[in-house]
Amino acid sequence: MTAGTPLEPAPNSQVPPAQTNAGKGLGIAALVIAIVALTICWVPIVNNFAAVLGFVALILGIISLAIASKRRGSKGMGIAASVIAIVAIVLVFVTQAAYAKALDGVSAAIDDAADGEVAAPEKVIEQASDESQVLKLGEAATIGEYSVNVSAVNLEADNIIAKANTFNEKAEGQYVLVDLSVVYNGEEEGDAWIDLSPELLGSDSRIYSTTSSMAIAPKPATDVPTLTKGGKGAYQVVFDVPADALTDAKIRVTETLSFDDEAGLWATK
């Protein structure tokens, strides 16, 4: 053999067949569908459709790989589509589980609040345990546009409530009657029974709202007229609370529909 002469293949050698485009079209289609599924897999309700797209993409990706294996096609698109499809399907189930848990929590909170009581936030419990942040009866606190004073608390008000209105039913637990006085400091007009939300923080670490009781107080809040600047009003609110939650209960007044977490906390004794 002379120098410079190209080498010829050995008589029995075989040249590998060239790679083809077999399965590439399906792989591209699978990849596109998988990417769409991955994009929408976190959206509530819509992610049900994302799961369907993910399974379609996975099937197309597997078919693409099978065709590519038999006909020496490129497997890259099929592999990428299958991996993304699997990730999208897994994320669909993960996000749906998370949303379901969140909805269950909201539903439980709504059910919990339906009877006028909810678990007290840790921040409120910590405030109640700090005596320096608890006002004595007769002390005033500024809450929103009002100066608020819890002047008296009757923890055993069953008889008073029974006499206040013939339609008042017997308490499921024990009636608590709270006397409040307010001064409106705003520039316009205010209705204390709308603007302020009295609550009872029980020693059971639960917050009881006035909706815990349908009883009418001797001096209901709705009798207080609309106040202008400097206007004063006094009224009573009623709570229906388990007797064992009153050992070291506190009265809490917040501003209705406010996100400032501004609140006053009073001792009941």
Side-chain angles (χ1 to χ4, degrees):
M1 183 181 295
T2 59
T5 303
L7 294 173
E8 295 182 0
N12 294 327
S13 65
Q14 295 183 355
V15 177
Q19 195 173 53
T20 68
N21 289 327
K24 185 175 181 179
L26 275 177
I28 293 174
L31 183 61
V32 171
I33 296 173
I35 291 174
V36 173
L38 184 63
T39 302
I40 64 175
C41 69
W42 60 273
V43 183
I45 300 176
V46 177
N47 61 9
N48 292 317
F49 180 59
V52 175
L53 291 180
F55 282 113
V56 170
L58 181 59
I59 292 171
L60 292 179
I62 293 173
I63 295 174
S64 170
L65 288 172
I67 293 174
S69 296
K70 290 182 178 180
R71 303 180 184 178
R72 294 195 58 80
S74 174
K75 298 180 181 179
M77 292 292 183
I79 293 173
S82 299
V83 171
I84 295 175
I86 292 172
V87 172
I89 292 169
V90 171
L91 287 178
V92 166
F93 289 111
V94 170
T95 53
Q96 285 187 340
Y99 290 132
K101 184 176 181 180
L103 288 174
D104 287 344
V106 172
S107 178
I110 293 174
D111 291 341
D112 198 23
D115 57 0
E117 61 174 284
V118 296
E122 189 64 32
K123 181 179 179 181
V124 175
I125 296 174
E126 290 178 358
Q127 181 186 6
S129 63
D130 184 355
E131 294 299 328
S132 65
Q133 298 188 58
V134 179
L135 299 170
K136 296 179 181 179
L137 293 177
E139 292 183 339
T142 299
I143 303 172
E145 296 180 317
Y146 292 85
S147 175
V148 181
N149 185 340
V150 176
S151 54
V153 177
N154 188 335
L155 298 175
E156 299 178 352
D158 288 9
N159 292 334
I160 295 175
I161 298 303
K163 294 177 181 179
N165 191 293
T166 56
F167 294 102
N168 286 344
E169 298 180 354
K170 185 178 179 181
E172 292 185 9
Q174 187 167 306
Y175 280 129
V176 176
L177 184 64
V178 179
D179 288 73
L180 298 100
S181 59
V182 299
V183 179
Y184 180 67
N185 302 315
E187 298 297 328
E188 299 179 0
E189 293 182 337
D191 291 288
W193 65 279
I194 296 175
D195 301 332
L196 299 173
S197 296
E199 302 169 335
L200 187 147
L201 173 61
S203 51
D204 56 355
S205 298
R206 298 189 69 79
I207 290 178
Y208 297 84
S209 72
T210 53
T211 60
S212 64
S213 167
M214 299 302 293
I216 299 174
K219 297 178 182 179
T222 51
D223 286 354
V224 177
T226 298
L227 303 175
T228 56
K229 186 170 184 176
K232 299 179 181 180
Y235 59 97
Q236 296 172 317
V237 293
V238 184
F239 301 96
D240 188 346
V241 183
D244 57 4
L246 297 175
T247 304
D248 189 26
K250 304 289 191 302
I251 301 301
R252 185 170 182 262
V253 181
T254 64
E255 187 178 10
T256 307
L257 299 178
S258 173
F259 299 98
D260 295 335
D261 292 332
E262 188 176 17
L265 199 63
W266 284 263
T268 55
K269 299 177 182 180

